[in-house]
Amino acid sequence: MECQFEVFINDISLFKVMGEITKNGGGINNNNDINQLLLTSGTHEVKVRIYPKYGLTVFDEYTPNIGLEFSYFKNRDLRTKQYNEAMKGSNGIELSSFDQQWIDEKGIYGEPGYVEAHYESKLPIKFDGLPFYEWRSTFEAEVPFDLVGWRNSVNLKKEQEEEKKNIQGELYEEYKKIYQIIKNRDVTAYLLLVKEREELITTVLYYKENEKKLRSDEFVKFIQNTDYEVEPLFEETFQLEFQGYGKLVMLLHKADGEGIIRLKNKKDPDDTIYLDFRFQRKKKGDRLIVI
């Protein structure tokens, strides 16, 4: 609450709250799967970028308060949920200007190991007057899959910086193709476009076959829905963003940081759908493809 923010896993955007929705400082709670950003077991990085709420250039006296909890469950059964104790368990990590954090009661009263709820000292963050704050940490995760994904892809940021490649121009050409696919309501082309991404997501999140079909059917209904029309592309409003430590790239809108492919409901102008696409180059000389 009291801020705009982005959460990244392994330098890839997981979740963000930006723009006018933060103007009054209200809070939001959200749960997010992260399997699709891990790809393999080992050490992974979490990064949080925190900005002043909408309308402010620096943090004021109403400083941010962000809580992060890390948990996992097995065999798609939420009843097996357990918290990552190395990341402060169910109490989580609190990013705030307070020098104390509330710790919940633990165990059963009167039995060994019981801990009464209490305040615990923590390191306060000095936000006041800053235009931006970034926090990073690492965590260990063991997953029953080992996927390549974009891990061995070309570092596109290096291509731009060291080889002077026009990544933004090349990427914009790919976005124009996506624009035409959606404008033409070409379901076959769209499903082919996102095929590798969807295979990765449905694999690591353990979709059943019927669930995969339902997810695919949603794409079909979405593309065919004539209530929505794709908004025009204006290149001067876009900015290039590298993620995945330079191996992924996308275009985002300068105004709100959302995807540039947008579909507006013709019956309700306040109803807009933003589509995000991440691109990789698997090998030197290959074209950019969605992942």
Side-chain angles (χ1 to χ4, degrees), residues 100-143:
Q100 291 184 319
Q101 177 179 349
W102 180 253
I103 304 300
D104 292 332
E105 178 184 68
K106 186 176 181 180
I108 300 174
Y109 180 76
E111 294 191 5
Y114 171 77
V115 178
E116 185 177 1
H118 62 285
Y119 279 103
E120 193 171 279
S121 296
K122 77 169 191 64
L123 185 67
I125 298 173
K126 298 185 182 300
F127 289 107
D128 197 17
L130 294 178
F132 164 80
Y133 186 85
E134 182 174 289
W135 174 89
R136 297 187 186 211
S137 187
T138 58
F139 63 95
E140 299 296 319
E142 183 179 335
V143 292

Side-chain angles (χ1 to χ4, degrees), residues 275-290:
L275 297 183
D276 290 319
F277 298 93
R278 300 187 183 102
F279 289 79
Q280 67 169 339
R281 194 191 315 281
K282 284 190 175 182
K283 296 178 182 178
K284 276 288 188 183
D286 285 358
R287 59 179 281 262
L288 297 172
I289 61 170
V290 173

